[in-house]
């Protein structure tokens, strides 16, 4: 049946859509602004005001960025950390979640409690730093990977997904004489692909954007990941701005270019990321 | 004779227990193999640091280590509570978190309600794609963009002849933190609410429309009550982290001009511990932060359950 849409309803629709459009443009503008700056000449960028298109189009800033060896090193380090960290994270999360789903497992409840408790309480920044230090991981990319190798939350998400796999799948494999290790690697893991992909993307983005641990654990500039390198470049420019000496007027555009270079991988994979992140939020909310 | 029977019974029990333990271990050994790396991880990287909290009660010396540093009881906590810097950091943390809670918690709910009213699917999807994006960027990137956008030399402030950047002004800096977080997370925050709204039975709306309810009434009496459980859960989680005002964001955006209004517990602990090397003192501050956070979470959960809603557990 059709319900008559009145004048008030139509006004509501138009007002609502207008507000949403304005809001979307406000979200988009800072990113557009930064991209425009990165292609502008330094004089054009320094004029200020609203920028909708690059002023005096030039690749100069990108040439400067890519001629520094540190950006390449930082790219390599970021990719290493994201790739290795994601693989380990996904594998270990699955390996932990699977046995804990077995109802009769002696000690399973205790381990589950130990894992869940870490969501409520933790040692904090300083004791964790001291642990990483005593493991000899300061100034090592492992310091960005190992401390976050599994998260309790992802174990829960993985467990709730694994519960949806029918038990008959495992039972028939057991009757064929396969042991649990074999079942896990050849049957369970392939069936878990959707949730593995979701958790992998969560981790990958988190590792790519990880700032705090890089700040705390890395001092050697050749080990810098992209976020910490970017922070250093920005801090350098701020220092100059505060002391009133703009020695290199192109810094503004160079920072913009570095920012764009940093977010390009995210931008390229975004449609993919968005889809899987949304799925993951649903998975997480089922449990919550 | 009684004793003899008892003994026999005990022996039998032992005999029964032992093989079954071995048997169950054999049955489950492969599961333990899978579980072992994860268990080691949690013990080493989560529980050892919890033990490391003990240095908050010690006069920790790097040379002595945790086993031979002298115990000092609550000395660091007394010093902490006597330190004006700590109270400033605590006040800033609570204020910034409170503002974020008041403004940034309801904001995605409002946006989700607005998006939910959009009928055109393509339009809705385009908007979602745009507003979700900032969530995927790090604070370093956003900080860099905001510095440039709100700089008095280059940015949009020139249009309005404003000569002080809101990032350098103690009166506006906290507002800027709240606003920029809203800009980054409001879109992504709608995902979970939109999912909850998608699960509402359409017949409810149809029935209410037949009774003559307008859009506002539908929202007030059907949509909002239906997403209430989701709102409650997220609110509990948010309360538990009220003493975490957001290290990345603040560390990246603050500067000497605004330290007094933006030094929070996280940055305070970082500075004490990792810049100044006062491990014991910083651990005491960190412990205070996590214990209060835990208590707040437990309290909110208790409160919510008393009010008849479902809590976290």
């Amino acid at each position: 049946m059709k319900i008559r849409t009145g004048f008030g309803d139509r006004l509501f629709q138009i007002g609502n859509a207008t507000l949403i459009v304005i809001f979307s443009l406000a979200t988009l503008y800072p990113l557009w602004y930064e991209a425009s700056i990165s292609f502008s000449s330094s004089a054009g960028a320094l004029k200020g005001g609203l920028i909708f298109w690059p002023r005096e189009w030039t690749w100069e800033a990108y040439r400067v960025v890519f001629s520094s060896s540190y950006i390449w090193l930082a790219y390599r380090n970021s990719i290493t950390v994201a790739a290795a960290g994601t693989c380990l994270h996904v594998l270990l999360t699955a390996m932990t979640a699977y046995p804990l789903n077995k109802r009769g497992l002696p000690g399973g409840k205790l381990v589950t409690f130990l894992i869940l408790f870490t969501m409520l309480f933790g040692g904090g920044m300083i004791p964790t730093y001291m642990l990483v230090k005593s493991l000899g991981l300061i100034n090592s990319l492992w310091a960005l990977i190992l401390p976050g190798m599994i998260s309790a939350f992802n174990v829960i998400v993985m467990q709730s997904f694994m519960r949806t796999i029918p038990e008959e799948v495992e039972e028939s494999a057991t009757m064929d004489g396969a042991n649990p290790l074999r079942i896990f690697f050849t049957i369970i893991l392939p069936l878990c692909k959707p949730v593995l992909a979701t958790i992998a993307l969560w981790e990958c983005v988190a590792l790519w954007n990880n700032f705090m641990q890089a700040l705390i654990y890395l001092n050697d500039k050749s080990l810098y990941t992209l976020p910490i390198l970017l922070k250093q470049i920005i801090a350098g420019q701020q220092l100059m701005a505060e002391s009133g000496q703009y020695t290199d007027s192109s810094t503004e555009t160079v920072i913009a270019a570095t920012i764009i270079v940093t977010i390009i991988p995210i931008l390229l994979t975004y449609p993919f990321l968005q889809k899987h992140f949304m799925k993951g939020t649903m998975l997480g909310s089922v449990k919550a | 004779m009684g004793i003899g029977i008892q003994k026999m019974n005990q022996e039998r029990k032992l005999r029964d227990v032992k093989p079954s333990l071995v048997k169950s271990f054999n049955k489950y050994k492969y599961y333990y193999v899978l579980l072992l790396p994860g268990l080691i991880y949690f013990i080493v990287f989560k529980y050892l640091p919890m033990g490391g909290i003990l240095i908050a009660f010690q006069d920790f010396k790097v040379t002595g280590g945790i086993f031979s540093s002298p115990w000092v009881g609550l000395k660091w906590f007394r010093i902490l509570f006597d330190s004006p810097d700590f109270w400033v950091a605590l006040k800033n943390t609570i204020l910034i978190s409170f503002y974020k809670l008041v403004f940034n918690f309801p904001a995605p709910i409002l946006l989700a309600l607005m998006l939910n009213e959009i009928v055109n699917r393509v339009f809705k999807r385009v908007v979602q794609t745009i507003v979700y994006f900032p969530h995927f960027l790090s604070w370093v990137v956003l900080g860099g963009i905001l510095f440039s956008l709100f700089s008095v030399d280059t940015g949009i402030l020139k249009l309005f002849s404003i000569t002080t950047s809101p990032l350098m002004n103690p009166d506006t800096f906290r507002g800027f933190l709240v606003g920029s977080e809203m800009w980054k997370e409001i879109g992504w925050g709608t995902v979970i609410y939109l999912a909850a709204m998608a699960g509402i039975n359409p017949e409810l709306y149809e029935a209410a429309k037949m009774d003559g309810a307008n859009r506002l009434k539908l929202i007030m009496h059907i949509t909002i009550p239906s997403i209430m459980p989701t709102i409650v859960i997220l609110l509990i989680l948010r309360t538990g982290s009220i003493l975490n005002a957001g290290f990345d964001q603040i560390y990246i955006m603050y500067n000497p001009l605004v330290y007094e209004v933006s030094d929070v517990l996280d940055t305070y602990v970082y500075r004490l511990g990792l810049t100044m090397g006062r491990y014991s003192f910083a651990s005491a501050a960190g412990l205070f932060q996590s214990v209060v956070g835990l208590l707040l979470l437990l309290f909110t959960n208790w409160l919510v359950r008393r009010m008849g809603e479902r809590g976290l557990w």
Side-chain angles (χ1 to χ4, degrees):
Chain A
M1 68 169 285
K2 183 144 165 55
I3 286 165
R4 201 168 48 88
T5 46
F7 176 71
D9 267 3
R10 228 177 309 150
L11 198 69
F12 175 90
Q13 280 287 359
I14 294 171
N16 186 33
T18 314
L19 279 177
I20 287 181
V21 168
I22 293 174
F23 184 74
S24 307
L25 291 178
T27 307
L28 216 49
Y29 181 68
L31 302 166
W32 184 253
Y33 166 90
E34 198 68 1
S36 302
I37 290 263
S38 73
F39 287 109
S40 297
S41 72
S42 43
L46 281 173
K47 263 189 231 149
L50 284 172
I51 296 182
F52 291 104
W53 199 250
R55 292 177 177 158
E56 304 161 40
W57 183 287
T58 167
W59 289 93
E60 183 58 22
Y62 287 91
R63 208 190 49 75
V64 174
V65 169
F66 286 122
S67 64
S68 147
S69 64
Y70 285 113
I71 190 91
W72 295 108
L73 278 175
Y75 237 94
R76 199 192 63 191
N77 292 334
S78 275
I79 290 173
T80 311
V81 168
T86 305
C87 292
L88 273 174
H89 189 102
V90 170
L91 182 67
L92 281 170
T93 304
M95 280 168 67
T96 309
Y98 176 65
L100 292 179
N101 260 359
K102 295 289 157 234
R103 245 171 264 124
L105 186 78
K109 282 218 169 103
L110 176 69
V111 177
T112 305
F113 174 77
L114 286 178
I115 292 177
L116 291 185
F117 185 70
T118 63
M119 288 174 87
L120 295 178
F121 189 76
M125 185 192 279
I126 306 300
T128 309
Y129 171 83
M130 288 169 55
L131 171 77
V132 170
K133 196 174 172 184
S134 62
L135 291 175
L137 296 177
I138 299 292
N139 262 334
S140 149
L141 291 181
W142 285 108
L144 308 190
I145 296 171
L146 294 180
M149 209 161 44
I150 311 180
S151 86
F153 180 77
N154 288 347
V155 171
I156 296 177
V157 171
M158 187 77 84
Q159 272 184 309
S160 59
F161 185 89
M162 283 174 173
R163 269 187 222 116
T164 64
I165 299 172
E167 278 178 36
E168 293 82 51
V169 175
E170 272 183 60
E171 275 164 17
S172 65
T174 316
M175 295 221 258
D176 293 344
N179 69 42
L181 279 182
R182 220 187 133 96
I183 294 177
F184 174 73
F185 283 106
T186 61
I187 298 172
I188 300 295
L189 272 190
L191 284 175
C192 285
K193 255 184 213 151
V195 71
L196 292 175
T198 300
I199 293 178
L201 290 173
W202 274 343
E203 263 326 285
C204 201
V205 172
L207 286 164
W208 187 261
N209 288 337
N210 182 356
F211 170 72
M212 193 170 106
Q213 282 169 314
L215 172 77
I216 294 176
Y217 299 132
L218 303 178
N219 316 311
D220 182 350
K221 204 175 173 189
S222 66
L223 286 171
Y224 275 7
T225 51
L226 283 168
I228 196 86
L229 181 73
L230 185 59
K231 166 71 186 162
Q232 227 200 19
I233 296 174
I234 295 171
Q237 194 234 15
Q238 254 190 309
L239 207 67
M240 285 195 292
E242 272 157 26
S243 57
Q245 39 170 293
Y246 260 114
T247 45
D248 182 6
S249 57
S250 71
T251 16
E252 193 69 36
T253 55
V254 171
I255 288 177
T258 316
I259 285 174
I260 298 300
V261 166
T262 308
I263 63 182
I264 276 177
I266 300 219
L267 206 58
L268 290 180
T269 48
Y270 180 55
F272 189 62
L273 288 177
Q274 192 198 351
K275 197 180 101 198
H276 278 281
F277 264 60
M278 284 178 67
K279 259 194 213 155
T281 311
M282 315 294 160
L283 284 175
S285 62
V286 169
K287 177 64 199 172
Chain B
M1 186 167 141
I3 295 169
I5 291 175
Q6 235 180 340
K7 226 178 175 178
M8 260 166 60
N9 274 342
Q10 263 176 0
E11 273 168 20
R12 193 180 303 150
K13 253 189 212 154
L14 275 177
R15 228 184 303 133
D16 285 349
V17 168
K18 250 192 174 165
S20 81
L21 257 180
V22 172
K23 224 167 83 185
S24 81
F25 181 78
N26 261 328
K27 184 176 158 201
Y28 289 110
K29 66 181 171 199
Y30 291 111
Y31 293 119
Y32 289 120
V33 170
L34 285 172
L35 193 55
L36 195 63
L39 192 59
I40 292 175
Y41 163 80
F42 278 102
I43 290 170
V44 172
F45 285 98
K46 297 290 172 185
Y47 283 90
L48 280 186
M50 280 186 219
I53 290 175
L54 288 176
I55 65 163
F57 305 95
Q58 288 182 332
D59 200 353
F60 181 76
K61 298 274 185 298
V62 181
T63 45
I66 194 166
F67 295 108
S68 42
S69 294
W71 294 92
V72 293
L74 296 175
K75 174 185 159 193
W76 295 114
F77 292 91
R78 274 195 294 272
I79 296 180
L80 187 70
F81 296 139
D82 281 338
S83 145
D85 284 357
F86 166 75
W87 292 106
V88 170
L90 183 63
K91 185 185 131 199
N92 287 334
T93 308
I94 292 174
L95 274 179
I96 292 171
S97 280
F98 180 73
Y99 292 149
K100 283 183 175 178
L101 186 70
V102 169
F103 294 101
N104 295 0
F105 185 76
I109 303 176
L110 192 65
L111 184 62
L113 288 172
M114 288 168 72
L115 279 171
N116 197 45
E117 295 299 318
I118 298 283
V119 190
N120 187 324
R121 281 195 159 179
V122 178
F123 177 63
K124 191 172 168 184
R125 197 163 306 152
V126 171
V127 170
Q128 283 174 305
T129 305
I130 293 173
V131 298
Y132 294 168
F133 188 65
H135 170 77
F136 294 83
L137 303 178
S138 67
W139 274 113
V140 191
V141 163
L142 293 180
I145 295 177
L146 293 172
F147 274 128
S148 163
L149 199 57
F150 289 93
S151 129
V152 281
D153 298 312
T154 56
I156 52 172
L157 296 178
K158 270 193 172 173
L159 288 179
F160 309 102
S161 323
I162 297 171
T163 48
T164 326
S165 165
L167 280 151
M168 310 282 173
N169 182 350
D171 295 331
T172 51
F173 187 73
R174 285 193 197 122
F176 199 82
L177 289 176
V178 176
S180 56
E181 193 200 64
M182 189 188 288
W183 181 77
K184 184 177 191 291
E185 298 296 341
I186 183 174
W188 187 250
T190 63
V191 173
I192 199 159
Y193 296 115
L194 286 173
M197 287 174 195
I200 301 174
N201 187 350
E203 279 173 27
L204 286 176
Y205 290 111
E206 293 301 327
K209 274 185 203 163
M210 299 260 275
D211 292 342
N214 62 21
R215 278 186 178 269
L216 208 60
K217 280 211 168 121
L218 294 181
I219 294 175
M220 295 301 292
H221 297 294
I222 299 178
T223 317
I224 292 181
S226 305
I227 61 171
M228 214 40 175
T230 314
I231 296 179
V232 168
I233 298 253
L234 293 179
L235 192 61
I236 299 177
L237 289 172
R238 188 88 184 217
T239 321
S241 58
I242 206 143
L243 288 194
N244 306 79
F247 177 85
D248 280 18
Q249 184 197 17
I250 293 170
Y251 182 82
I252 282 156
M253 302 223 271
Y254 79 168
N255 52 71
L257 295 172
V258 293
Y259 277 162
E260 53 179 310
V261 296
S262 61
D263 188 26
V264 290
L265 287 175
D266 282 318
T267 50
Y268 179 69
V269 170
Y270 170 78
R271 207 174 51 243
L272 278 180
L274 299 182
T275 319
M276 294 155 66
R278 303 178 69 177
Y279 293 136
S280 285
F281 193 15
S283 296
L287 180 59
F288 170 82
Q289 189 183 5
S290 28
V291 167
V292 174
L294 179 61
L295 291 178
L296 278 172
L297 185 72
L298 295 174
F299 174 72
T300 324
N301 195 53
W302 172 82
L303 199 69
V304 161
R305 285 179 57 143
R306 268 206 59 160
M307 281 164 23
E309 293 274 354
R310 265 190 63 203
L312 284 181
W313 59 83

